[in-house]
Amino acid sequence: MTSVQNETGVLAGEPRMLIDGELTETAGGATFDVIHPASEQVAGTATDGTVEDMARAVGAARRAFDETDWSRDKDFRFNCLMQLHAALEKNQERLRRILITEVGCPVTVSGSQIESPIAEVKHWAEHGRDFDYLVDNGVHETPLGPARRKLHYEPVGVVGAITPWNVPFYLNIAETIPALMAGNTVVLKPAQLTPWSGSELGRIVAEETDIPAGVFNVVTSNANEVGAALSADPRVDMITFTGSTATGRAILAAGAPTVKKTLLELGGKSAHIVLDDADFNSSLPLAAMMACVMSGQSCILPSRILLPRSRYEEGIEILKTSMANFPVGDPWTPGNMQGPQISETQRQKVLGLIKSGIDAGARLVTGGGIPEALPVGYYTEATLLVDVDPDSQIAQEEIFGPVLTVTPYDTDDDAVAIANNTIYGLSGEVSSADVDRAFSVATRMRTGNVTINGKSHFGIDSPFGGTKQSGLGYRNGTHGYQEYLAIKTIGMPE
Ligand code: NAD
């Protein structure tokens, strides 16, 4: 968390794209508006790139991969990324203002979306510098005598990176920097609602680093077909994507004809199993906070709380108090931890899902609408729905709003079954006074990550990924770095 902001106020980001080393507009000059969700006002514009722009960017990335030393010169890449790291640190407050302007992320919690990803640039530069790209895999016997095998880790090629709007600067960094350090060239396609977190990165790369033309490209667009064109282009070797499961399926299908390597981090519907011996006074206020920070627009949010029937009403009371008193309001005001939803469309989707839950028999305990004190901005009340049927729409669909659903259970086995009753498998959480018992439950959850007693699994040095329809592959850790490398196995004389 950050408590100090050096600059404040709405700030428009770079309106141009970065293609083949040039900050550029689209041929027809088309732009689209970027809205500040806390004021509902237009904050500026971004270039509305076309499929032709995307084709040019992919062509530039292809040339830079095939015809320059970028893929082979690790020391140069290290120097360029350290330059980028320094430039991002210099631009930190500008980047924070742009983030708050386009996302409405509260300044108080913006550190994880600005300082952390900037630090990750340095991490990946050093990780890539120290990575062992040639590994001896020993000698084996063959009919023609002994042969040694060496594993050579090589960049995959041209990587298309497609990112969502909820944590845009962080994900632009997370998807592109390890790919670049591994020797790939990149075309980034940021989300429509948050083009500047991408175009600003493009500007900084172009103006403040020696990264060669074509190595890093950014194409902003208001049209989904431009992302679709990237994911289908035969010149692209790999797609790294974070976003909804529906789009992930489309990307997988688009890459199938050319058998593209695909790294997908998708949606979630994570459950928090609160065991009957848990300390409710520590676990439940934290659960409420997690639901409200970032306005619930978090993929790993444990939005389904499973409470033991024996302590059901006690748990609901604690959640109600925490959610009803959560500091919501202007993201520029320090202390506010919940800002607006990103758009009116998203807010209406959240309100519609809340209504569907009530229609399906859930009990509304607090929230459920628009805060009276905040008529301007896309704010939504922190909402607690209990007695939620685990098969109902609100228990099955990702809400992406400040909403918790509560479902009672009788035994640990029931809790695990309800937690696993979803197409998703991103994260989960278990709370218990008995860590061994919690660990045993955690191992039975069909998810890629689990938090026990609020101790987060998430960090740059540990693999992060989803199972089931929450994703394919990993970010972070050595596993995450290796996603951007192909292994060539070379057999040779002993
Ligand atoms: P989205 O899937 O609507 O859009 C994500 C990106 O895909 C955008 O850049 C969009 O322009 C692009 N896109 C849309 N259609 C496309 C197509 N047919 N082909 C190629 N690209 C296309 O997601 P969103 O609404 O921006 O983000 C919210 C979603 O992201 C949620 O489901 C959330 O759970 C998920 N998310 C997951 C993680 C994770 O790590 N698993 C992290 C953050 C967000």
Side-chain angles (χ1 to χ4, degrees):
M1 281 188 199
T2 180
S3 55
V4 182
Q5 61 189 126
N6 299 331
E7 300 177 18
T8 189
V10 169
L11 181 67
E14 170 59 53
R16 293 167 296 178
M17 309 182 288
L18 174 63
I19 299 179
D20 206 6
E22 298 287 329
L23 292 169
T24 177
E25 295 169 349
T26 189
T31 62
F32 63 101
D33 291 341
V34 180
I35 311 287
H36 178 40
S39 67
E40 306 182 23
Q41 301 291 310
V42 175
T45 60
T47 293
D48 195 3
T50 61
V51 168
E52 290 73 33
D53 294 318
M54 182 54 81
R56 264 195 318 126
V58 172
R62 187 74 262 167
R63 271 195 309 282
F65 186 81
D66 293 338
E67 297 170 17
T68 75
D69 278 348
W70 179 257
S71 67
R72 290 181 293 277
D73 194 342
K74 180 181 69 164
D75 294 341
F76 178 57
R77 297 199 300 269
F78 174 76
N79 289 339
C80 286
L81 291 187
M82 291 305 282
Q83 250 180 350
L84 177 61
H85 175 251
L88 292 172
E89 280 195 324
K90 199 181 89 194
N91 282 275
Q92 182 173 291
E93 295 313 311
R94 178 177 166 81
L95 289 163
R96 190 191 319 282
R97 283 176 61 187
I98 289 168
L99 174 86
I100 298 170
T101 298
E102 58 181 10
V103 180
C105 164
V107 65
T108 300
V109 296
S110 62
S112 62
Q113 295 199 44
I114 295 293
E115 278 90 338
S116 300
I118 291 175
E120 290 191 3
V121 175
K122 183 162 179 273
H123 169 90
W124 288 121
E126 291 172 346
H127 187 90
R129 178 195 58 193
D130 299 339
F131 186 82
D132 201 352
Y133 294 88
L134 188 61
V135 176
D136 190 334
N137 203 35
V139 174
H140 72 153
E141 288 302 326
T142 79
L144 298 179
R148 181 173 298 285
R149 280 79 44 82
K150 289 202 173 174
L151 309 185
H152 192 228
Y153 288 82
E154 302 174 353
V156 178
V158 173
V159 173
I162 304 175
T163 53
W165 48 259
N166 65 327
V167 276
F169 181 70
Y170 166 73
L171 284 166
N172 291 339
I173 295 291
E175 289 200 11
T176 65
I177 302 302
L180 288 170
M181 189 57 212
N184 303 281
T185 59
V186 170
V187 179
L188 169 65
K189 212 301 285 169
Q192 286 90 324
L193 292 170
T194 53
W196 292 332
S197 291
S199 57
E200 197 63 21
L201 189 57
R203 178 191 69 76
I204 293 168
V205 164
E207 293 180 347
E208 303 191 39
T209 77
D210 294 328
I211 294 177
V215 165
F216 183 69
N217 306 272
V218 183
V219 179
T220 53
S221 175
N222 203 20
N224 283 339
E225 67 196 33
V226 174
L230 178 62
S231 59
D233 195 309
R235 297 168 295 174
V236 173
D237 298 293
M238 173 177 177
I239 292 288
T240 175
F241 170 75
T242 307
S244 64
T245 295
T247 306
R249 290 187 196 112
I251 286 174
L252 212 47
T258 50
V259 195
K260 270 188 219 330
K261 183 165 184 181
T262 310
L263 171 52
L264 301 174
E265 298 296 348
L266 308 176
K269 189 70 186 174
S270 302
H272 179 170
I273 300 178
V274 184
L275 294 175
D276 56 9
D277 61 352
D279 177 358
F280 279 22
N281 288 315
S282 67
S283 59
L284 295 180
L286 190 61
M289 184 181 96
M290 295 309 289
C292 300
V293 166
M294 292 171 60
S295 313
Q297 299 171 150
S298 159
C299 56
I300 55 175
L301 170 68
S303 58
R304 294 185 291 142
I305 305 286
L306 309 186
L307 287 180
R309 207 177 297 277
S310 57
R311 298 180 65 189
Y312 191 58
E313 293 303 329
E314 176 193 348
I316 288 170
E317 243 351 271
I318 296 171
L319 286 169
K320 176 185 170 187
T321 306
S322 305
M323 293 189 85
N325 296 309
F326 200 78
V328 55
D330 186 3
W332 302 99
T333 305
N336 283 337
M337 306 257 286
Q338 179 191 337
Q341 307 313 123
I342 188 124
S343 68
E344 181 61 14
T345 305
Q346 275 300 124
R347 176 163 71 172
Q348 289 307 325
K349 184 184 158 216
V350 172
L351 295 174
L353 278 166
I354 293 170
K355 182 171 179 305
S356 87
I358 296 167
D359 290 349
R363 173 162 52 108
L364 178 67
V365 173
T366 187
I370 295 171
E372 256 178 48
L374 295 164
V376 176
Y378 308 125
Y379 296 94
T380 309
E381 285 180 317
T383 299
L384 183 64
L385 284 170
V386 305
D387 306 343
V388 171
D389 177 345
D391 290 321
S392 63
Q393 186 186 17
I394 195 152
Q396 291 292 325
E397 272 185 34
E398 193 175 32
I399 305 169
F400 242 50
V403 181
L404 284 179
T405 67
V406 181
T407 299
Y409 69 85
D410 292 306
T411 65
D412 291 11
D413 286 353
D414 292 341
V416 170
I418 297 169
N420 289 339
N421 175 29
T422 165
I423 62 165
Y424 296 108
L426 191 53
S427 285
E429 184 158 356
V430 188
S431 293
S432 171
D434 178 346
V435 175
D436 291 340
R437 182 179 170 206
F439 194 88
S440 159
V441 169
T443 59
R444 296 170 63 196
M445 295 174 88
R446 293 195 58 212
T447 64
N449 317 276
V450 183
T451 287
I452 292 178
N453 290 350
K455 302 294 182 191
S456 173
H457 54 80
F458 192 77
I460 187 75
D461 56 353
S462 291
F464 170 83
T467 59
K468 293 157 78 176
Q469 294 188 36
S470 286
L472 281 179
Y474 300 92
R475 298 204 192 290
N476 293 348
T478 294
H479 296 83
Y481 190 65
Q482 288 185 12
E483 294 281 2
Y484 297 104
L485 293 164
I487 303 174
K488 181 179 286 168
T489 305
I490 301 175
M492 56 199 290
E494 196 182 354

